[in-house]
C-alpha cells in the first residue's frame, strides 16, 4: 500500500509542476479590439495600474490611422472590458512626428511603459529619414494622461544634428526627479551604454556627443577599457563593448540616496568571452557607485550571452538577472550579491524538454522570482516561479528550487506584471500574431473568476487539429474537457484498424496535450479519435517520411 501511495504522490507532484494548456480565442483571453492582421501589434508591454486596470501597449500597423508606425494603447478595467473613459472607448493611437523628417517603415520600436503621477509614459526607439534619405536613430518618449490624452513628446539624439546612432532599451520614473532612459550608442565599430536623466516633463539638457549635465538633468556615455579596468565616460577606444537590452533598469538606493542598477552584456573581442555587467549609478548626477563584471562558469560554446532582465531583491543586497545563451538555446537566472560574493547561477533545466528563452520577470512572494518565456523551436510559452529562500542552496537541484510551472501552447509571451492576487500577461497568438491579454492566479493558472470575462477552462469538449500536420515522425494532439471523466484518445489507420491507445485516463476539467510518435508506421493518412462521455470526434493527420 505504501508503494502505491508513493507513486501516487510522485505523479501528483509531476502534474502540479508541469501543466500544459492550449489557449485560443474562445478561452480565458481578452484579445485585441480588432483581432486581425490589419491591427498587427509586433511587440508589447503590459502594466497593472494603481487603479486596478490593465494597460496594454504596443506598436505596429493600425488600419484605423493607416500607418505602419502607430503606437497603440488599450486600457481594460478589472473585468477585462475596454475602459470607455480612456481615449476613444479604451483605445488610443499615437504617431511620432519630428520636424523635416519622416518615420521609416517599421521605424517605431516599442520598449517600455511606466505609470506616472499624471498618467503613463512610453519609450520607443525611432528610425528617421531626412530629405536626402539619410537614416538617423533616436529615442522617443511619449507621455499621456489617465484619460489617454497626449501630454507631450520628447525626442533624444546623440547630437542636435542627429549624428550618431542611439536607441532606447528601458525606462524608469521617479515622481520627484523625472525619467531615467537607458539605451545604446554605436559608432559603427563598437557600442556603449547611454543613460539620460530628464525632468518630470521629459526635458533633457542639451546633449553634445552624448553627454550633458545641467540643472539636475544629465546624459552620460559609459565605455569600458580593459587597459585601465575602470569606467571612463570620455574614453571611446575601449577593447570591450557594453550593450544593454530588455528590462535593464532596477531602482534601488545607496545609503538612503536614490539610485539605479543597469544590466547588460560586456562583449569581449574573442568569440566566447562575454560577461554580464551591473552598473550602479546615483540618481542625482549619474556618478558611478559600482561596476561589476560577472563571469559565468560555463562551457565555452555557451558563453555568448543575451541578457533580458535585472531585478533588485526587496530584502537582500542582491540582484536577480536573467537571459539566455543563444548558442545553447538555454535560458538562465542568476543571483548576484552586492558585497562582491560569487554569483550563484541557476541554469534552467526545463521540465518540458525544449529549448527556450526568457522574456520578462517580476519579484513576488517576499523575493521569489517569477519568470515567463517561450520555446525557441516550439509555439509554447511558460510561467515558472523560483523559491528565493532555496535559490542559493548548493545542496538543492534545480527541480527543488522551481516551485511550479505552467505551460501554454500556440502562444508567445512578451510581458508580465503582478496584480496582488496573480499576474497579467500579454503576448501573441503564434498562428496569426493577434495580441492577447490574460490574467492568472498566483499559481499561474488562468482563474476565470479573476480573469477577463471568458474562461480558460473550455465549456465544450474539443479535439484540436494536431500540430504539425503533415508531420514526421511526431505530432502534438491538444484537447479540452469540461467535466471530470474517462477520456480515451486512439490512433487508427485509414482503414479503421486500431494502432495505439494514446491515452485512456480519468481526467479532471482542463486542457491537455499529448504527443504521438509514428516512427514505426509508413507514410499515409491516419485518424485520431477522442471519446469522453458522449463526446466523439476524429481528426485526420498525414505522416510524410
Amino acid at each position: 500500500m505504501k508503494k502505491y501511495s508513493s507513486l501516487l504522490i510522485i505523479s501528483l507532484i509531476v502534474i502540479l509542476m508541469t501543466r500544459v494548456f492550449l489557449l485560443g480565442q474562445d478561452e480565458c483571453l481578452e484579445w485585441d479590439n480588432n483581432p486581425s492582421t490589419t491591427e498587427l501589434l509586433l511587440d508589447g508591454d503590459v502594466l497593472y495600474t494603481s487603479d486596478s486596470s490593465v494597460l496594454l501597449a504596443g506598436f505596429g500597423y493600425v488600419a484605423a490611422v493607416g500607418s505602419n508606425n502607430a503606437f497603440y494603447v488599450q486600457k481594460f478595467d478589472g473585468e477585462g472590458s475596454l475602459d470607455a473613459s480612456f481615449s476613444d472607448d479604451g483605445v488610443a493611437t499615437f504617431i511620432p512626428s519630428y520636424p523635416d523628417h519622416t518615420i521609416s517603415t517599421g521605424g517605431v520600436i516599442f520598449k517600455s511603459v511606466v505609470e506616472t503621477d499624471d498618467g503613463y509614459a512610453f519609450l520607443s526607439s525611432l528610425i528617421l529619414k531626412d530629405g536626402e534619405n539619410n537614416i538617423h536613430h533616436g529615442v522617443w518618449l511619449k507621455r499621456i494622461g489617465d484619460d489617454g490624452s497626449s501630454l507631450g513628446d520628447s525626442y533624444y539624439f546623440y547630437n542636435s544634428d542627429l549624428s550618431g546612432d542611439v536607441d532606447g532599451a528601458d525606462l524608469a520614473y521617479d515622481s520627484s526627479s523625472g525619467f531615467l532612459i537607458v539605451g545604446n550608442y554605436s559608432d559603427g565599430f563598437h557600442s556603449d551604454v547611454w543613460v539620460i536623466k530628464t525632468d518630470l516633463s521629459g526635458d533633457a539638457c542639451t546633449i553634445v556627443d552624448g553627454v550633458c549635465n545641467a540643472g539636475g538633468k544629465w546624459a552620460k556615455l559609459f565605455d569600458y577599457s580593459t587597459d585601465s579596468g575602470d569606467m571612463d565616460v570620455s574614453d571611446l577606444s575601449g577593447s570591450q563593448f557594453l550593450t544593454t537590452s530588455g528590462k535593464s533598469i532596477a531602482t534601488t538606493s545607496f545609503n538612503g540616496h536614490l539610485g539605479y542598477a543597469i544590466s547588460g552584456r560586456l562583449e569581449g573581442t574573442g568569440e566566447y568571452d562575454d560577461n554580464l555587467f551591473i552598473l550602479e549609478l546615483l540618481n542625482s548626477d549619474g556618478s558611478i557607485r559600482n561596476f561589476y563584471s560577472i563571469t559565468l562558469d560555463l562551457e565555452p560554446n555557451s558563453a555568448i550571452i543575451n541578457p533580458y532582465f535585472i531585478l533588485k531583491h526587496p530584502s537582500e543586497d542582491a540582484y536577480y538577472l536573467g537571459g539566455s545563451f543563444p548558442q545553447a538555446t538555454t535560458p538562465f537566472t542568476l543571483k548576484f550579491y552586492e558585497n562582491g560574493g560569487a554569483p550563484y547561477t541557476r541554469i534552467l533545466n526545463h521540465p518540458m524538454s525544449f529549448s527556450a528563452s526568457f522574456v520578462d520577470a517580476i519579484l513576488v512572494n517576499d523575493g521569489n522570482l517569477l519568470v515567463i518565456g517561450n520555446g525557441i523551436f516550439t509555439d509554447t510559452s511558460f510561467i515558472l516561479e523560483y523559491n528565493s529562500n532555496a535559490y542559493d542552496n548548493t545542496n538543492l537541484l534545480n527541480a527543488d528550487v522551481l516551485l511550479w510551472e505552467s505551460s501554454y501552447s500556440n502562444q508567445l509571451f512578451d510581458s508580465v506584471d503582478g496584480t496582488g492576487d496573480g499576474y497579467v500577461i500579454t503576448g501573441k497568438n503564434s498562428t496569426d500574431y493577434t495580441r492577447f491579454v490574460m490574467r492568472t492566479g498566483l499559481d499561474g493558472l488562468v482563474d476565470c473568476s479573476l480573469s477577463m470575462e471568458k474562461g480558460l477552462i473550455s465549456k465544450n469538449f474539443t479535439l484540436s487539429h494536431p500540430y504539425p500536420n503533415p508531420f514526421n515522425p511526431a505530432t502534438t494532439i491538444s484537447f479540452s474537457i469540461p467535466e471530470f471523466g474517462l477520456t480515451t484518445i486512439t490512433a487508427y489507420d485509414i482503414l479503421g484498424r486500431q494502432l495505439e491507445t494514446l491515452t485512456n485516463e480519468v481526467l479532471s476539467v482542463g486542457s491537455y496535450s499529448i504527443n504521438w510518435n509514428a516512427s514505426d508506421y509508413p507514410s499515409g493518412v491516419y485518424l485520431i479519435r477522442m471519446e469522453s462521455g458522449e463526446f466523439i470526434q476524429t481528426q485526420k493527420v498525414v505522416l510524410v517520411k
Side-chain angles (χ1 to χ4, degrees), residues 306-309 322-333 348 350 354-361 371-378 380-384 386 405 411-415:
N306 282 343
Y308 290 135
F309 64 82
S324 71
F325 310 107
Q327 288 185 320
T329 59
T330 303
F332 70 89
T333 61
L348 177 64
H350 202 283
F354 55 72
S355 300
S357 65
F358 289 145
V359 293
D360 200 6
V371 182
I372 64 170
N374 301 307
I376 293 178
F377 302 115
T378 64
T380 304
S381 52
F382 57 87
I383 317 169
L384 56 88
Y386 285 119
E405 173 176 359
Q411 310 298 326
L412 299 173
F413 287 162
D414 283 337
S415 176

Side-chain angles (χ1 to χ4, degrees), residues 8-19 351 405:
L8 177 60
I9 292 171
I10 292 171
S11 300
L12 288 173
I13 291 172
V14 171
I15 291 170
L16 288 172
M17 289 193 62
T18 307
R19 300 166 293 198
E405 173 176 359

Side-chain angles (χ1 to χ4, degrees), residues 255-273:
N255 298 321
H257 299 286
L258 177 64
Y260 303 97
I262 298 167
S263 68
R265 178 174 66 173
L266 180 59
E267 183 179 347
T269 56
E271 186 176 3
Y272 301 122
D273 55 359

Side-chain angles (χ1 to χ4, degrees), residues 31-43 56 58-68 70-74 82 88 91-93 427-429 432-436:
W31 290 85
D32 181 276
N33 198 34
N34 294 293
S36 69
T37 54
T38 59
E39 305 280 295
L40 186 59
L41 301 186
L42 301 180
D43 281 309
L56 170 65
F59 78 98
Y61 177 76
V62 179
V65 295
S67 174
N68 283 301
F71 181 72
Y72 193 74
V73 185
Q74 289 180 294
L82 286 171
D88 183 13
V91 181
T93 305
K428 297 178 286 288
N429 182 317
D432 60 10
Y433 284 84
T434 48
R435 179 157 296 283
F436 67 84

Side-chain angles (χ1 to χ4, degrees), residues 338-487:
E338 290 185 84
N339 61 11
Y344 192 77
T345 307
R346 286 284 180 184
I347 306 301
L348 177 64
N349 182 12
H350 202 283
M352 299 306 294
S353 299
F354 55 72
S355 300
S357 65
F358 289 145
V359 293
D360 200 6
I362 57 174
L363 290 177
V364 298
N365 299 333
D366 299 323
N368 285 353
L369 180 66
L370 182 117
V371 182
I372 64 170
N374 301 307
I376 293 178
F377 302 115
T378 64
D379 295 334
T380 304
S381 52
F382 57 87
I383 317 169
L384 56 88
E385 183 177 345
Y386 285 119
N387 183 345
S388 176
N389 294 329
Y391 189 93
D392 44 7
N393 185 335
T394 57
N395 296 318
L396 297 178
L397 301 175
N398 281 351
D400 300 316
V401 179
L402 186 62
L403 292 176
W404 57 263
E405 173 176 359
S406 293
S407 296
Y408 301 85
S409 61
N410 298 338
Q411 310 298 326
L412 299 173
F413 287 162
D414 283 337
S415 176
V416 61
D417 202 5
T419 64
D421 57 0
Y423 315 107
V424 61
I425 298 172
T426 185
K428 297 178 286 288
N429 182 317
S430 62
T431 56
D432 60 10
Y433 284 84
T434 48
R435 179 157 296 283
F436 67 84
V437 178
M438 74 178 191
R439 188 168 172 182
T440 80
L442 289 171
D443 58 359
L445 300 180
V446 181
D447 180 348
C448 297
S449 65
L450 297 173
S451 189
M452 306 272 186
E453 292 187 325
K454 302 176 184 177
L456 171 66
I457 305 303
S458 176
K459 295 179 175 58
N460 299 296
F461 289 97
T462 61
L463 175 62
S464 300
H465 295 289
Y467 181 85
N469 187 22
F471 69 102
N472 180 29
T475 188
T476 298
I477 301 157
S478 300
F479 60 97
S480 299
I481 56 173
E483 59 189 44
F484 181 87
L486 177 66
T487 298

Side-chain angles (χ1 to χ4, degrees), residues 265 274-276 294 296 298 302-307 324-326 332:
R265 178 174 66 173
D274 286 0
N275 286 353
L276 291 172
I294 305 170
L296 302 183
L298 301 164
S302 302
I304 294 178
I305 300 170
N306 282 343
S324 71
F325 310 107
F332 70 89

Side-chain angles (χ1 to χ4, degrees), residues 218-292:
W218 48 267
K220 290 196 172 187
L221 198 66
F222 296 97
D223 183 37
Y224 182 82
S225 170
T226 54
D227 297 331
S228 65
D230 298 318
M231 301 294 295
D232 185 351
V233 299
S234 62
D235 175 20
L236 298 181
S237 60
S239 60
Q240 288 187 296
F241 313 144
L242 299 177
T243 58
T244 186
S245 60
K247 302 298 178 69
S248 53
I249 304 174
T251 301
T252 184
S253 63
F254 309 120
N255 298 321
H257 299 286
L258 177 64
Y260 303 97
I262 298 167
S263 68
R265 178 174 66 173
L266 180 59
E267 183 179 347
T269 56
E271 186 176 3
Y272 301 122
D273 55 359
D274 286 0
N275 286 353
L276 291 172
F277 74 80
I278 299 176
L279 171 63
E280 293 181 335
L281 303 177
L282 287 174
N283 175 69
S284 57
D285 59 2
S287 59
I288 299 169
R289 180 181 181 271
N290 278 307
F291 178 81
Y292 303 106

Side-chain angles (χ1 to χ4, degrees), residues 167-179:
D167 65 19
D170 201 9
L171 177 67
Y173 171 76
D174 171 55
S175 60
S176 62
S177 62
F179 298 96

